[in-house]
Every structure is written in C-alpha cells, then in structure tokens.
C-alpha cells in the first residue's frame, strides 16, 4: 500500500461565530435590542450597555450573547420591511458613518457628501445632522438614531423625500414626512427610538438641492447603462 497516496484529511470547517461581523449583522442585533427596549424587556441602562457592545463587537460570536435572552433573536426574519423603511437590497450593506455623543455634542453639517448609511447615538448628549447643503450621491439614504436622555436633530432640504419609522419610550420621535415632486429625488429614511429623549427630522425651510439636476443625470445614466448591459 502506497502511503504517499493516502488522501489528506480535509481542513475543519470554519466556525460561523468566528466570522467578522458586518454592518448588516450589527444592524440586525441593534433592531432586536430596540424592539426589546420598546417592549419593556430591557431598561434604558441595559439597552445602552448592550448597544455599546454591538458596536464594539468584532465577530458574529461576540454579537450573539447580546440578544440570546431575547425572543427577537429566535424569531424568523420578516420578509418585508416595516413601513417607512427602505426595502431590502435598496441600500447595499457597507460601512456607515457613526455620530456618537455621550455627555457631549456631535455635528455634521455644511457641504459634505452623504453616504448610504448613518448611525446617530445621543446618550445624555446631542447630535445634529444637517443635510440641507449636503451632496447626495445615492438615491436612498438610511439614518438610524438612538436617543437616551439626549436629542438627535436631523434637517433635510425641501425638495427630497423624507420618511420615518420609530417610536419613543417616555420620549418623542417626530419625522415630518415629505414626498418630493421629482420621483428621482433622493429619499432619506429615518428610524430609531428615543428613551426619555427626542429624535426629530424635518425640512429646513428655504433650502433645496441646487444641483439636483446633476444628481438626476447621474442616476438616469447609471440606470441606462445597467439596462443596456
């Protein structure tokens, strides 16, 4: 028997819990924690501690213990998005910008390029996101906000669409819904929860996207190329 031809043992399969956590993984866990807070399964301190753990986690295995004792972790994922949220796949998974204010303030305003995703966390602090002069490079933008004894204030130009889905626990969640006349205009989705705090999103009067035609031109050109391909 030729021992040199003996088949080599295959490498053991990688443990899924050792995989690096993606933004989509963190968002899913954050959603479960937000629902648990709204249902009274977690108090504000527990929720804040676990949310902090979500964004410190490096692997899927570090995320799972944060929701192991919550029913949302064992429920099947919904097939359709909640009202006011973008449809799955509309906003591709990717790195997002985080604005965190803990006993402090954080601001994003002026002329800046808006990414597809943003997360805002105000814990005994305030976060201001002003999109009224921003450059939109994506048609769909998602902003996730959590306010615990703090405030998140979001301003958008008047000629885009603004939609919201969220709530407050002894706090307020207010989104002034907008529907742009131009169907190709950017859409900003805001969702989150306010615990003894506030989340507010509304248009900044008199501010519009001056270069909307450039955005629409890029969007139509992209769709046309995709269709031809």
């Amino acid at each position: 028997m030729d021992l040199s031809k003996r088949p080599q043992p295959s490498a053991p399969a990688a443990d899924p819990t050792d995989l690096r956590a993606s933004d989509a993984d963190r968002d899913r866990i954050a959603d479960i924690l937000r629902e648990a807070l709204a249902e009274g399964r977690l108090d504000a301190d527990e929720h804040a501690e676990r949310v902090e753990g979500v964004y410190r986690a490096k692997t899927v295995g570090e995320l799972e213990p944060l929701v192991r004792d919550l029913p949302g972790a064992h429920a099947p994922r919904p097939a359709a998005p909640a009202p006011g949220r973008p449809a799955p796949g509309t906003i591709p998974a990717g790195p997002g910008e985080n604005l965190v204010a803990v006993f402090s303030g954080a601001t994003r305003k002026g002329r800046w390029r808006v990414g597809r995703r943003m997360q805002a966390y105000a814990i005994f602090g305030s976060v201001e996101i002003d999109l009224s002069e921003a450059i939109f490079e994506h048609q769909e933008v998602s902003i996730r906000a959590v306010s615990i004894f703090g405030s998140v204030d979001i301003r958008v130009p008047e000629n885009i669409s603004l939609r919201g889905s969220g709530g407050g626990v002894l706090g307020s969640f207010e989104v002034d819904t907008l529907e742009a006349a131009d169907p190709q205009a950017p859409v900003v989705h805001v969702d989150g929860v306010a615990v003894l705090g506030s989340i507010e999103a509304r248009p900044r009067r008199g501010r519009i996207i001056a270069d909307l035609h450039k955005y629409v031109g890029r969007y139509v050109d992209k769709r046309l190329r995709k269709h031809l391909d």
Side-chain angles (χ1 to χ4, degrees):
M1 179 178 180
D2 189 353
L3 296 179
S4 64
K5 295 184 178 179
R6 180 180 297 175
Q8 298 297 317
S10 58
D15 187 342
T17 60
D18 292 334
L19 296 176
R20 298 285 290 190
S22 68
D23 280 345
D25 294 327
R26 293 187 180 89
D27 287 347
R28 181 175 63 85
I29 299 300
D31 279 342
I32 294 173
L33 293 175
R34 186 176 67 248
E35 294 297 332
L37 176 64
E39 294 171 355
R41 299 181 189 274
L42 297 176
D43 62 29
D45 290 338
E46 290 173 321
H47 178 264
E49 181 180 352
R50 295 195 190 195
V51 166
E52 184 179 353
V54 168
Y55 292 97
R56 282 202 313 260
K58 300 297 183 183
T59 67
V60 173
E62 293 173 348
L63 288 173
E64 291 179 351
L66 297 172
V67 294
R68 187 172 292 156
D69 58 344
L70 300 175
H74 311 286
R77 299 185 187 182
R85 295 186 184 177
T90 303
I91 301 178
E97 180 174 357
N98 292 325
L99 288 175
V100 181
V102 181
F103 290 97
S104 63
T107 303
R108 197 73 161 95
K109 63 181 179 179
R111 195 71 170 165
W112 57 289
R113 297 181 183 277
V114 184
R116 288 189 178 96
R117 307 160 66 90
M118 294 186 69
Q119 294 88 32
Y121 297 94
I123 302 174
F124 290 94
S126 62
V127 173
E128 179 186 356
I129 301 174
D130 190 345
L131 305 175
S132 61
E133 297 180 12
I135 299 171
F136 286 83
E137 296 186 322
H138 310 284
Q139 191 184 27
E140 300 275 344
V141 174
S142 174
I143 300 177
R144 178 155 297 165
V146 175
S147 172
I148 301 175
F149 291 95
S151 64
V152 177
D153 188 25
I154 302 166
R155 295 292 179 267
V156 302
E158 288 187 297
N159 58 338
I160 71 166
S161 293
L162 175 62
R163 299 166 188 168
S165 175
V169 180
L170 299 178
S172 65
F173 179 92
E174 298 181 8
V175 175
D176 291 352
T177 302
L178 289 176
E179 288 298 332
D182 190 330
Q184 306 297 345
V187 181
V188 175
H189 302 268
V190 178
D191 74 292
V193 62
V195 181
L196 292 168
S198 65
I199 297 172
E200 184 179 88
R202 64 187 184 201
R204 186 175 290 281
R205 299 302 177 190
R207 296 294 181 89
I208 63 173
I209 303 176
D211 55 354
L212 180 59
H213 65 285
K214 296 180 183 178
Y215 169 83
V216 173
R218 289 197 301 270
Y219 177 76
V220 172
D221 182 60
K222 183 191 299 184
R223 293 295 297 270
L224 180 60
R225 287 200 305 270
K226 182 177 180 181
H227 176 73
L228 292 177
D229 290 343

